[in-house]
Amino acid sequence: AASDLIAEHGFAQTSVDAVIERAGLSGKSHFYHYFESKDELGHEVLARQFDVLGERGLAILREPSLDPIERLNVFIDSVVAIQAERGMKGGSPFGALATDMAEKDEGFRVRIARVFRNWTDEISALLAEAADRLEEDADPKRLARFIVATLAGATTMARIKRDVSVMHGVATDLKRFL
């Protein structure tokens, strides 16, 4: 319930009462039995979403039936699809709130960093597999960081503009670059 409300209205505009109502709970005591505060709820929502997003991305990047570059293209498309699924009207639960929480909470920062590191490592391994199709002096690790940073930047730009077509454009150009 909280995840849906945050996706629809943003964290600041999502009240504990709205979460209680959407979840069908009988009162605030149920909420406070599980969470000490709204911030703690926000932390848990984001942590779970980053875990799911991270695992979804890794599953695609590890799909053995696809060529390495094709896996990377599917991964890029999946990042765009996630943004499209969430829509841009209410803002993603990622973005500013995730950055805010990463700055305030070391555990959360480590969790986000782990997702990006895992993606970078997997993409680097894919690029190493496809080394014969890359420029001679291409560094798979640096190129992998570039890809992850490009997707993260495109996600932020799309969220700010509330326009998923930004993601589509960046994804198209990134795949062309590769």
Side-chain angles (χ1 to χ4, degrees):
S3 179
D4 290 345
L5 285 167
I6 292 169
E8 291 168 23
H9 305 289
F11 183 73
Q13 288 75 34
T14 298
S15 68
V16 169
D17 289 334
V19 172
I20 290 168
E21 182 179 328
R22 175 78 61 99
L25 300 175
S26 60
K28 285 189 178 186
S29 63
H30 285 106
F31 176 87
Y32 288 107
H33 175 75
Y34 295 102
F35 304 101
E36 288 184 19
S37 66
K38 179 181 163 187
D39 284 349
E40 185 179 329
L41 171 67
H43 183 282
E44 188 60 31
V45 165
L46 285 170
R48 287 183 185 199
Q49 289 183 351
F50 268 98
D51 288 347
V52 168
L53 179 64
E55 288 306 311
R56 182 175 169 180
L58 288 176
I60 292 166
L61 292 169
R62 292 175 177 162
E63 177 52 53
S65 68
L66 297 175
D67 167 80
I69 300 299
E70 182 59 26
R71 274 185 267 170
L72 190 50
N73 287 335
V74 171
F75 171 77
I76 291 167
D77 289 340
S78 77
V79 172
V80 174
I82 288 167
Q83 286 302 318
E85 285 169 16
R86 296 199 178 289
M88 296 293 154
K89 59 185 178 299
S92 168
F94 303 111
L97 178 59
T99 302
D100 243 15
M101 293 183 88
E103 290 173 3
K104 293 177 187 172
D105 185 310
E106 180 65 11
F108 191 71
R109 187 198 65 74
V110 167
R111 201 174 207 159
I112 295 169
R114 185 180 325 121
V115 168
F116 288 132
R117 185 180 59 249
N118 289 345
W119 285 359
T120 301
D121 290 347
E122 288 294 324
I123 291 169
S124 179
L126 288 179
L127 294 170
E129 277 183 60
D132 60 326
R133 293 161 50 194
L134 301 176
E135 296 287 326
E136 256 183 61
D137 61 346
D139 178 349
K141 189 72 166 180
R142 282 183 51 203
L143 187 53
R145 279 194 310 262
F146 169 77
I147 292 166
V148 171
T150 299
L151 291 170
T155 300
T156 300
M157 289 173 63
R159 189 181 64 79
I160 289 168
K161 289 186 86 173
R162 295 187 179 185
D163 182 1
V164 78
S165 71
V166 171
M167 290 289 302
H168 288 289
V170 170
T172 298
D173 292 339
L174 185 56
K175 290 188 288 186
R176 188 176 300 131
F177 172 80
L178 293 171

